[in-house]
């Protein structure tokens, strides 16, 4: 069917077009995709065996849907991708405010036009990209905004009384007839506004200012909500929850690999950054582990959640820190350093909600602790574990390295040194090279320098070395030598 050749109701009938509800439309197209083994929701990782199957079953059941989960769990993205399950084009009565189906007109405008022109009623076509509406629920949203109200200006211009339904100005929901309508953060919607949705969800019609007006809207509703909102800022009224067919729980990535995939996909990088900065894989692991640590931290409010956006913005900051340093030192390329993680502090402090104990510690201090905890957690994946209590005759694999620091007055790694100087400084520590060769023999030369720094930071976290922040870098020392020497 070539839609450019169909512009009247008669031509549409001649083509044998049959209209179906939006829920059947979604269901039919989903059945086709599943049958053809096509991926329904793309670019959404970690939900393949959990959220997406539940969402697809809800669509097959023709349900209105509530996506319930903490911030940064791709709830809105899932809802937006549902438009890919719509037919590419649908016919509407030309000029209709509420996308009237030519075969089932519901507005006075459309019914009058079809009565007047019959088979010659003009038809226009609506693309699926225009069949998606979204509203962020805020306390100032009114019934007039989302459903409609009497328009006194229209009444005056048309010389109509307020008893005439032609004076109605339709709100967002009627204007989204035959479309997907998303209300984000549903609990923030005032209870009286939620009540106004009852009829739309159950019977599919609306009521405006007492008019005896029945508009059987054809809608697919998707709501999003944060579990925290049920107690803190508002709640979803029980009769409304009862009218939502499926409630689907979203979640954060369950593995570092999935989290890395999301961050790499979503981070907005300048191509010059990617060419300039070499990022070892372990650095990406540490970055994602920071979010995992944050979700378990005693200083952070778990109910608020740790958005995936924290890792994304932290990664952008991390590369910018290395880029900034390279530009200052004149390096055409640079290796990412563990000390560059100091640059992600602003990305962390703006993304976490602290509990009372966290407020006492301070946001920056909590951010530093998260980085330290991530390093400590990943350290045993690369090097022998360090037990808290060691036997007297136990010979630590790190003893030569610890002795090196005991014999030296200290070791400084400044933030702004060139790559050549950075490598020279680390190569001086012979026991570091030996440990890397022994425990990470397959490591590339580029990755080895980051791993050396990681080893030093790890020994600090396991209380084998000490680390001090200088104004321009870090100073590493043995743990007890300063006390013995009196320094």
């Amino acid at each position: 069917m070539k839609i450019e050749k169909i512009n009247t109701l008669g031509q549409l009938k001649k083509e044998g077009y049959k209209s179906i509800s939006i829920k059947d439309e979604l269901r039919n197209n989903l059945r086709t995709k599943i049958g053809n083994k096509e991926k329904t929701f793309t670019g959404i990782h970690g939900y393949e065996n959990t959220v997406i199957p539940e969402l697809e079953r809800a669509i097959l059941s023709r349900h209105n849907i509530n996506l319930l989960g903490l911030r940064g769990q791709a709830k809105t993205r899932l809802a937006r991708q549902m438009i890919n399950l719509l037919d590419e084009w649908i016919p509407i009565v030309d000029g209709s405010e509420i996308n009237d189906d030519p075969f089932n007109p519901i507005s006075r405008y459309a019914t009058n036009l079809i009565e007047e022109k019959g088979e010659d009623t003009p038809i226009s076509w609506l693309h699926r990209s225009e069949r998606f509406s979204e509203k962020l629920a805020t306390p100032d949203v009114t019934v007039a905004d989302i459903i409609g109200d009497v328009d006194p200006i229209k009444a005056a211009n048309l010389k109509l009384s307020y008893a005439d339904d032609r004076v109605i100005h339709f709100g967002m929901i009627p204007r989204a007839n035959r479309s997907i309508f998303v209300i984000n953060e549903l609990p923030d919607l005032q209870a009286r506004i939620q009540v106004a949705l009852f009829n739309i969800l159950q019977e599919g019609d609306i009521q405006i200012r007492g008019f005896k007006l029945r508009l059987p809207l054809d809608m697919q509703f998707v709501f999003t909500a944060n579990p925290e909102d049920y107690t803190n800022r508002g709640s979803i009224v029980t009769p409304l929850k009862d009218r939502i067919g499926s409630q689907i729980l979203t979640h954060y990535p369950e593995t570092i690999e999935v989290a890395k995939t999301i961050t790499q996909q979503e981070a907005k990088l300048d191509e010059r950054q990617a060419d300039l900065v070499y990022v070892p894989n372990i650095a990406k692991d540490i970055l994602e582990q920071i979010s995992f640590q944050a979700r378990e931290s005693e200083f952070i409010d778990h109910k608020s959640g740790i958005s995936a956006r924290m890792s994304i913005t932290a990664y952008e900051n991390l590369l910018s820190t290395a880029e900034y340093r390279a530009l200052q030192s004149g390096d055409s390329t640079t290796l990412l350093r563990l000390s560059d993680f100091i640059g992600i502090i602003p990305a962390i402090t703006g993304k976490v909600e602290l509990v009372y104990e966290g407020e006492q510690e301070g946001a920056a201090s909590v951010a530093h602790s998260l980085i330290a905890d991530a390093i400590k957690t990943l350290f045993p994946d690369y090097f022998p574990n360090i037990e808290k209590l060691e036997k007297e005759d136990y010979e630590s694999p790190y003893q030569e390295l610890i002795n090196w620091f005991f014999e030296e007055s200290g070791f400084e790694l400044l933030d702004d040194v060139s790559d050549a100087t950075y490598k020279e400084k680390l190569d001086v520590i012979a026991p570091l090279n030996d440990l890397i060769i022994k425990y990470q023999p397959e490591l590339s030369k580029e990755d080895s320098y980051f791993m050396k720094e990681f080893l030093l930071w790890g020994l600090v976290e396991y209380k084998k070395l000490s680390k001090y922040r200088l104004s321009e870098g870090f100073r590493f020392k043995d743990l007890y030598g300063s006390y013995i020497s009196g320094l």
Side-chain angles (χ1 to χ4, degrees):
M1 179 170 59
K2 295 183 178 179
I3 61 173
E4 62 269 16
K5 293 183 178 179
I6 300 174
N7 49 38
T8 66
L9 179 57
Q11 292 171 334
L12 194 64
K13 288 179 179 178
K14 188 176 179 182
E15 282 290 336
Y17 179 87
K18 296 189 182 303
S19 62
I20 59 173
S21 72
I22 186 171
K23 287 185 168 68
D24 282 323
E25 194 181 325
L26 289 164
R27 173 183 162 79
N28 292 346
N29 290 326
L30 176 58
R31 280 173 53 87
T32 301
K33 279 184 176 287
I34 293 173
N36 294 337
K37 309 297 183 187
E38 294 178 40
K39 199 169 183 179
T40 313
F41 297 90
T42 58
I44 298 172
H45 307 281
Y47 285 174
E48 294 83 359
N49 300 313
T50 53
V51 176
I52 290 175
E54 290 186 358
L55 182 56
E56 290 175 337
R57 289 193 288 268
I59 293 169
L60 290 174
S61 300
R62 303 183 187 90
H63 285 173
N64 292 312
I65 298 160
N66 183 27
L67 296 171
L68 181 66
L70 296 171
R71 54 185 175 168
Q73 292 185 349
K75 299 187 294 294
T76 304
R77 175 168 293 194
L78 282 167
R80 287 175 178 171
Q81 288 204 17
M82 283 176 64
I83 64 168
N84 297 324
L85 295 173
L86 295 171
D87 292 343
E88 187 173 5
W89 298 93
I90 60 166
I92 62 171
V93 175
D94 190 42
S96 168
E97 288 183 86
I98 59 173
N99 303 329
D100 276 287
D101 181 346
F103 293 105
N104 298 293
I106 58 175
S107 71
R108 176 183 284 217
Y109 165 83
T111 52
N112 287 350
L113 188 65
I114 291 172
E115 283 179 14
E116 178 188 341
K117 299 199 172 183
E119 303 283 284
D120 295 325
T121 301
I123 299 299
S124 59
W125 292 85
L126 192 68
H127 191 259
R128 62 184 166 210
S129 61
E130 299 178 80
R131 298 174 63 196
F132 181 89
S133 293
E134 190 174 356
K135 177 62 179 170
L136 176 62
T138 54
D140 62 334
V141 173
T142 65
V143 173
D145 292 333
I146 62 170
I147 296 180
D149 204 350
V150 171
D151 185 350
I153 297 174
K154 186 185 283 188
N157 289 341
L158 297 176
K159 296 183 172 55
L160 298 171
S161 77
Y162 286 171
D164 194 312
D165 61 15
R166 285 174 291 177
V167 304
I168 292 173
H169 174 78
F170 293 113
M172 292 184 70
I173 290 178
R175 288 176 181 275
N177 183 36
R178 303 174 74 199
S179 302
I180 298 169
F181 193 86
V182 178
I183 298 181
N184 284 315
E185 306 301 340
L186 180 60
D188 283 349
L189 209 59
Q190 291 185 45
R192 63 186 181 83
I193 312 299
Q194 294 184 37
V195 169
L197 298 175
F198 288 0
N199 265 38
I200 300 173
L201 288 177
Q202 191 64 42
E203 286 80 26
D205 60 18
I206 63 170
Q207 298 175 5
I208 298 175
R209 290 283 183 182
F211 274 101
K212 290 182 178 179
L213 174 70
R214 186 173 187 274
L215 289 181
L217 298 174
D218 181 21
M219 308 280 293
Q220 171 65 54
F221 281 98
V222 181
F223 305 100
T224 72
N226 188 317
E228 178 198 13
D229 299 336
Y230 284 117
T231 53
N232 284 6
R233 288 182 289 178
S235 63
I236 302 177
V237 297
T238 304
L240 181 59
K241 281 197 285 185
D242 185 53
R243 285 168 166 79
I244 299 172
S246 291
Q247 178 169 279
I248 297 168
L249 303 180
T250 58
H251 57 83
Y252 286 122
E254 294 173 346
T255 66
I256 283 181
E257 287 305 315
V258 170
K260 279 197 299 186
T261 302
I262 295 169
T263 299
Q264 297 303 306
Q265 174 182 284
E266 299 300 319
K268 295 179 175 60
L269 303 178
D270 188 321
E271 286 183 9
R272 291 168 294 181
Q273 277 182 322
D275 295 337
L276 176 65
V277 184
Y278 175 77
V279 185
N281 200 49
I282 183 178
K284 298 175 183 177
D285 288 348
I286 293 170
L287 186 82
E288 301 304 338
Q289 186 63 37
I290 290 169
S291 292
F292 281 76
Q293 297 296 146
R295 290 171 192 140
E296 297 176 0
S297 172
E298 61 182 342
F299 299 123
I300 293 172
D301 184 359
H302 300 155
K303 292 186 298 181
S304 179
I306 301 296
S307 169
R309 287 181 282 271
M310 188 176 90
S311 294
I312 296 163
T313 54
Y315 186 69
E316 293 165 351
N317 262 9
L318 185 61
L319 264 68
S320 295
T321 304
E323 178 187 31
Y324 182 75
R325 169 175 45 73
L327 292 172
Q328 284 190 315
S329 62
D331 288 330
S332 58
T333 59
T334 187
L335 303 177
L336 187 78
R337 306 173 190 175
L338 189 48
S339 50
D340 290 332
F341 273 75
I342 202 76
I344 73 171
I345 301 299
I348 298 174
T349 55
K351 295 286 193 299
V352 295
E353 295 287 336
L354 302 179
V355 295
Y356 176 76
E357 292 81 359
E359 296 287 357
Q360 296 299 105
E361 290 286 323
S365 177
V366 170
H368 281 285
S369 298
L370 293 175
I371 296 172
D373 291 343
I375 292 168
K376 188 174 183 178
T377 301
L378 292 178
F379 187 83
D381 294 345
Y382 298 91
F383 298 102
N385 195 19
I386 300 174
E387 300 295 338
K388 197 168 185 180
L389 295 174
E390 296 174 348
K391 296 178 181 179
E392 286 186 18
D393 57 348
Y394 175 72
E395 188 175 336
S396 170
Y398 309 106
Q399 195 58 51
E400 284 188 28
L401 180 58
I402 294 167
N403 291 342
W404 188 93
F405 279 92
F406 183 80
E407 293 164 5
E408 298 291 326
S409 59
F411 172 78
E412 290 183 359
L413 210 52
L414 302 182
D415 296 337
D416 58 356
V417 296
S418 67
D419 260 34
T421 305
Y422 170 75
K423 292 175 182 178
E424 286 172 12
K425 293 280 286 181
L426 287 170
D427 283 339
V428 165
I429 310 174
L432 259 185
N433 295 323
D434 297 338
L435 285 166
I436 297 296
I437 292 169
K438 183 174 182 180
Y439 295 108
Q440 295 296 324
E442 297 179 1
L443 206 63
S444 67
K445 187 71 173 174
E446 292 86 353
D447 287 4
S448 66
Y449 290 99
F450 187 94
M451 190 64 77
K452 289 177 181 180
E453 203 179 348
F454 173 72
L455 180 51
L456 292 179
W457 284 59
L459 291 177
V460 169
E461 297 312 317
Y462 279 96
K463 306 293 189 259
K464 296 298 182 182
L465 294 176
S466 60
K467 172 171 62 71
Y468 305 95
R469 177 64 187 170
L470 307 173
S471 58
E472 297 177 344
F474 290 96
R475 180 180 179 85
F476 294 86
K477 297 182 68 174
D478 76 288
L479 199 58
Y480 305 110
S482 58
Y483 298 105
I484 295 171
S485 63
L487 296 176

